[in-house]
Amino acid sequence: MPDQLRLVTDVKSHGRASHRRTVWLDDEPWRDMAVEALRESGIAVGERVDPSDLDARFDDTLPRLARERALRMLNYRERSTHELRQRLLDDGFGPHVVDALVARLSETGLLDDARFAEGFARILVRSRGYGRDRAMRELRFRGISDELARDALNMASPLEDEADRALEVYLRALRAQTAAGLEGNGARGAAASSATWTASAPRPPRPRARVSARRRRPPAARALEEIYAGLGNHAALVEMLRTEVKL
């Protein structure tokens, strides 16, 4: 038995926000694990341990700890299957533990990609003002299939409502642009009235910064361009919007 003991030489973190730790035995990386498992095991640097005994102990506790971690994340907000699985893997739980847990949570309805897609699509479209193409990309990024994403977007933003919503986004950008212009004009007027100039010391001309053609366009124009791009190939909606806005 003493010949099997190895010295715990280090426990390394993978970042401030990470729950994953790497245990080093005899100055060699031995195993990644979740910080919850490490705390429960009581392992400390400088201790001599039996790796096979530790493996058995971790195999007994990791499923429970992974479930507790998953429930805390789901209690904070709804997550897609892909999101939850990736977070648990990043936290140091092994693939066999994570896959079994994800399957169980899906069977009980605690994980439901269709429900997640519907809720997240509403947030993207109604709260953040995303167009369908951009919202689709966000849903795909979270592992939602194209079929579920399209169904969710059709519920959150029917195609017949896209032109009205796009016009609303454009008008918000135009109002913000107008308000910024008025504020800028007032500041320039105050500065000009307080400035004094002499003929002997003329103000040198300021070099003009080179900006791209896209940046020279006002925010409202750029917003409208993005709206058109978001509407994609819905030619009828694009034409309807163009008749409402002359830019």
Side-chain angles (χ1 to χ4, degrees), residues 4-221:
Q4 298 176 348
L5 297 181
R6 299 178 64 184
L7 180 67
V8 180
T9 52
D10 202 355
V11 177
K12 294 187 176 181
S13 172
H14 291 259
R16 292 182 59 185
S18 175
H19 283 239
R20 181 159 53 102
R21 302 291 185 269
T22 300
V23 177
W24 287 57
L25 301 181
D26 296 334
D27 294 322
E28 296 179 349
W30 171 61
R31 177 170 175 171
D32 286 351
M33 66 183 64
V35 67
E36 293 88 348
L38 186 64
R39 289 171 181 164
E40 189 162 308
S41 70
I43 295 176
V45 174
E47 182 182 356
R48 290 195 173 275
V49 297
D50 181 353
S52 60
D53 178 59
L54 283 180
D55 275 332
R57 286 160 54 187
F58 287 136
D59 289 342
D60 289 340
T61 60
L62 283 174
R64 172 178 56 81
L65 294 174
R67 178 178 174 81
E68 292 173 357
R69 174 71 174 144
L71 292 178
R72 286 196 299 271
M73 288 191 286
L74 290 173
N75 187 55
Y76 181 73
R77 70 168 175 84
E78 187 96 54
R79 296 176 189 271
S80 68
T81 300
H82 172 77
E83 275 187 303
L84 184 67
R85 184 178 189 279
Q86 194 58 52
R87 282 294 301 274
L88 291 172
L89 290 174
D90 291 344
D91 284 347
F93 294 101
H96 63 289
V97 172
V98 173
D99 290 343
L101 175 60
V102 165
R104 179 58 180 161
L105 293 175
S106 298
E107 290 173 3
T108 58
L110 292 174
L111 265 182
D112 188 326
D113 278 354
R115 185 178 65 228
F116 169 83
E118 291 174 8
F120 194 48
R122 285 195 297 270
I123 293 173
L124 293 174
V125 172
R126 300 177 186 177
S127 300
R128 301 185 187 177
Y130 285 10
R132 291 176 67 89
D133 285 359
R134 187 176 180 184
M136 176 69 82
R137 290 195 298 271
E138 291 287 337
L139 290 166
R140 285 173 178 161
F141 179 74
R142 284 160 176 79
I144 301 301
S145 69
D146 285 359
E147 180 181 0
L148 287 179
R150 279 193 294 268
D151 291 344
L153 288 172
N154 286 338
M155 294 179 62
S157 178
L159 287 178
E160 56 269 21
D161 296 341
E162 279 285 278
D164 290 341
R165 192 181 59 78
L167 181 59
E168 180 184 349
V169 172
Y170 164 75
L171 291 175
R172 283 205 305 268
L174 185 60
R175 285 194 293 269
Q177 174 187 331
T178 303
L182 291 175
E183 183 178 350
N185 289 336
R188 285 192 296 270
S193 63
S194 61
T196 57
W197 305 100
T198 63
S200 60
R203 184 181 183 183
R206 292 181 59 185
R208 298 188 62 181
R210 298 181 63 183
V211 297
S212 66
R214 176 174 173 77
R215 291 192 60 188
R216 282 198 300 267
R217 292 181 62 75

